[in-house]
């Protein structure tokens, strides 16, 4: 019983983290989509994606203190906008620099890395590619990944971009995420469903006994 409780507790923790991640991804997706639509309209999509990649690789990831400053709620938007101009004016396309200021104005620069990831998701969609994340308890080999990609290709009507992640916490089975939709087929999730079914069955049985007792007492 204690092992089962541990499994449920771990699954609940993982599910809560997944919900939080999905929430952040959805917010970032809205901004990324707007950015890509503006870039498509201006005919600057490829340039913007390249510049966004360069920004993350050369300025944000190597200098985490800069990322912390941009994400900090203690620093005003005006201060952040001035810093962005000082650091990146003339180095980034105006469209991307202005977008960073929009994120700052709305207090969303803490999602910059997630927006960058979502920008690639939308870029893939515009080019007929669909991002798919597969989480399994153990690594899958390339033939199996290729087989899955082929199945998804026919079902999705686009070219799947498959990202395979290993997470032993899911126990077994797989969690498949296509865009913003999560398909959880892990054993941990199945255990949770079974637990809920047992709980519902017990509650139903208790209620049925109460009803029979009341009926007998009434007679």
């Amino acid at each position: 019983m204690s092992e089962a409780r541990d499994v449920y507790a771990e699954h609940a923790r993982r599910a809560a983290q997944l919900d939080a991640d999905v929430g952040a991804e959805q917010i970032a997706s809205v901004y990324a989509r707007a950015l890509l639509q503006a870039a498509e309209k201006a005919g600057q999509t490829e340039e913007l994606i390249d510049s966004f990649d360069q920004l993350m690789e050369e300025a944000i990831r190597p200098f985490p203190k800069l990322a912390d400053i941009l994400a900090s709620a203690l620093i005003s938007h005006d201060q952040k906008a001035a810093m962005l101009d000082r650091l990146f004016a003339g180095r980034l396309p105006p469209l991307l620099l202005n977008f960073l200021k929009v994120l700052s104005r709305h207090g969303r620069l803490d999602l910059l890395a997630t927006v960058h990831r979502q920008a690639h998701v939308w870029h893939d969609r515009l080019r007929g590619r669909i991002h798919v994340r597969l989480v399994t308890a153990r690594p899958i080999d390339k033939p199996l990944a290729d087989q899955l990609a082929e199945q998804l290709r026919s079902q999705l009507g686009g070219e799947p971009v498959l990202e395979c992640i290993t997470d032993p916490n899911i126990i077994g089975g797989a969690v498949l995420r296509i865009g913003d939709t999560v398909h959880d087929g892990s054993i941990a999730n199945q255990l949770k469903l079974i637990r809920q079914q047992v709980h519902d069955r017990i509650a139903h049985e208790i209620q049925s006994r109460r009803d029979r007792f009341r009926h007998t007492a009434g007679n």
Side-chain angles (χ1 to χ4, degrees), residues 114-126:
T114 312
V115 172
H116 174 250
R117 182 166 58 250
Q118 283 295 323
H120 275 279
V121 171
W122 280 105
H123 184 230
D124 286 337
R125 289 182 182 178
L126 289 171

Side-chain angles (χ1 to χ4, degrees), residues 14 132-142 144-145 148 162-177 182-188:
R14 190 173 63 83
V132 178
R133 180 181 296 176
L134 175 67
V135 184
T136 55
R138 296 181 179 179
I140 65 172
D141 56 25
K142 189 176 185 303
L144 183 56
L148 175 61
L162 185 61
E163 177 187 10
C164 297
I165 298 174
T166 303
D167 180 2
N169 291 323
I170 72 170
I171 304 176
V175 177
L176 186 67
R177 179 171 178 175
V182 178
H183 306 274
D184 193 341
S186 68
I187 291 178

Side-chain angles (χ1 to χ4, degrees), residues 30-46 48 94-96 98-99 102 122 126:
V30 173
Y31 285 101
R33 182 180 184 183
L35 175 62
L36 266 292
Q37 287 176 336
E40 281 283 290
K41 186 175 181 179
Q44 300 176 7
T45 304
E46 304 307 322
L48 182 137
L95 181 60
L96 181 55
N98 290 334
F99 175 74
V102 170
W122 280 105
L126 289 171

Side-chain angles (χ1 to χ4, degrees), residues 7 19 37 39 51 76 80 88-89 92 116 126 138 146 149 153 155 161 163-164 177 191 201 203 206 208-209 213 215:
V7 168
D19 289 343
Q37 287 176 336
S51 296
S76 71
K80 291 179 183 179
F88 302 120
L92 293 179
H116 174 250
L126 289 171
R138 296 181 179 179
D146 291 342
R153 187 176 294 113
Q155 294 176 7
V161 180
E163 177 187 10
C164 297
R177 179 171 178 175
L191 289 173
R201 190 179 304 122
I206 291 174
S208 297
R209 291 181 180 180
F213 176 77
H215 178 74

Side-chain angles (χ1 to χ4, degrees), residues 53-64 66-67 87-88:
D53 289 345
Q54 186 176 5
L55 170 68
M56 299 303 296
E57 292 299 325
E58 298 182 4
I60 302 301
R61 294 192 180 107
F63 302 102
L66 173 60
L87 292 173
F88 302 120

